[in-house]
Amino acid sequence: MKTGNQQALRLLIERHKHQVFKIAMSVLHDEKAAEDAAQETFIKMVDSLPSYQFQGFKTWISRIALHKAIDARRKKQKEREDFSNAEQEYRNNNEISTEEVVLRNEKKALVQRSIEELPEKLRYAVRYYYLEELSYTEIAKRLNLAEKTVEMRLYRARKWMKAHWKEGDF
């Protein structure tokens, strides 16, 4: 960038920095975040100057500032939600008692033994679908079958389980 262009850029930033900051602050209500959004605004302004149509510079940069501030607020909100979800998940995982873990493991072993009772053609489809959580397409590829065949085997397996297993077993 030439020296004249740098000087003009500094003047533009100096002239509009308070306005840009005020817009960001009105959306974010946090000085540090507003400063960051203002910086992002000026970076975007520099990148977008070649496409500027010379129609209302103040409106144009204000719109960029508003969008950058809204993006920052959304990002901050999403981070809070992610943190909140992770914190809740952590609490839920740590609230599981040893007794619950033992019961789950016993139930899992019972289910696996029961799956072994299924006819062999049905057994693999059930294991892949319910235990490994594979899609029909993935199971079809793994077993070298058509998807419709996998679907039919799972249907038959469910029918077989209803006929041979008691509801209270699990």
Side-chain angles (χ1 to χ4, degrees):
M1 198 179 263
K2 295 180 183 170
T3 310
N5 286 347
Q6 285 181 341
Q7 187 64 26
L9 192 57
R10 276 194 209 110
L11 284 172
L12 275 175
I13 292 171
E14 191 62 37
R15 182 175 293 157
H16 296 284
K17 70 180 181 183
H18 296 294
Q19 172 197 349
V20 167
F21 178 78
K22 275 179 28 182
I23 291 168
M25 190 66 176
S26 72
V27 172
L28 297 167
H29 308 291
D30 176 352
E31 198 170 318
K32 175 79 172 96
E35 287 173 1
D36 291 345
Q39 267 189 331
E40 290 289 323
T41 299
F42 290 118
I43 291 169
K44 176 73 174 173
M45 177 196 77
V46 170
D47 291 343
S48 300
L49 271 174
S51 64
Y52 173 61
Q53 301 288 318
F54 301 103
Q55 296 174 343
F57 186 81
K58 189 174 181 179
T59 304
W60 181 69
I61 197 163
S62 295
R63 194 173 17 225
I64 293 172
L66 179 63
H67 288 286
K68 287 296 176 183
I70 290 170
D71 289 348
R73 186 175 66 195
R74 284 182 185 147
K75 184 178 178 185
K76 191 175 183 180
Q77 192 172 356
K78 182 160 176 32
E79 286 171 356
R80 257 187 274 151
E81 288 171 3
D82 289 348
F83 178 76
S84 176
N85 290 342
E87 186 178 36
Q88 184 63 40
E89 197 173 305
Y90 176 78
R91 268 196 239 119
N92 290 344
N93 289 340
N94 287 332
E95 289 174 3
I96 298 172
S97 69
T98 306
E99 183 181 345
E100 287 178 49
V101 171
V102 169
L103 289 174
R104 281 185 189 173
N105 288 340
E106 285 177 6
K107 191 172 187 176
K108 195 173 185 179
L110 177 63
V111 169
Q112 287 177 342
R113 279 194 305 272
S114 297
I115 288 174
E116 292 303 315
E117 297 172 7
L118 281 164
E120 188 175 351
K121 277 187 172 184
L122 307 178
R123 185 180 316 145
Y124 290 107
V126 168
R127 185 177 295 141
Y128 292 148
Y129 186 76
Y130 289 105
L131 299 180
E132 295 185 25
E133 298 179 356
L134 298 178
S135 69
Y136 286 8
T137 306
E138 293 167 323
I139 296 169
K141 285 180 185 173
R142 194 174 276 191
L143 296 177
N144 200 23
L145 300 169
E147 265 186 70
K148 203 67 175 164
T149 305
V150 171
E151 188 177 338
M152 188 51 91
R153 284 187 182 180
L154 285 169
Y155 170 78
R156 288 181 182 147
R158 288 183 199 105
K159 217 172 158 180
W160 188 93
M161 288 184 259
K162 282 181 184 177
H164 293 85
W165 294 350
K166 294 180 212 145
E167 194 172 317
D169 287 347
F170 305 103

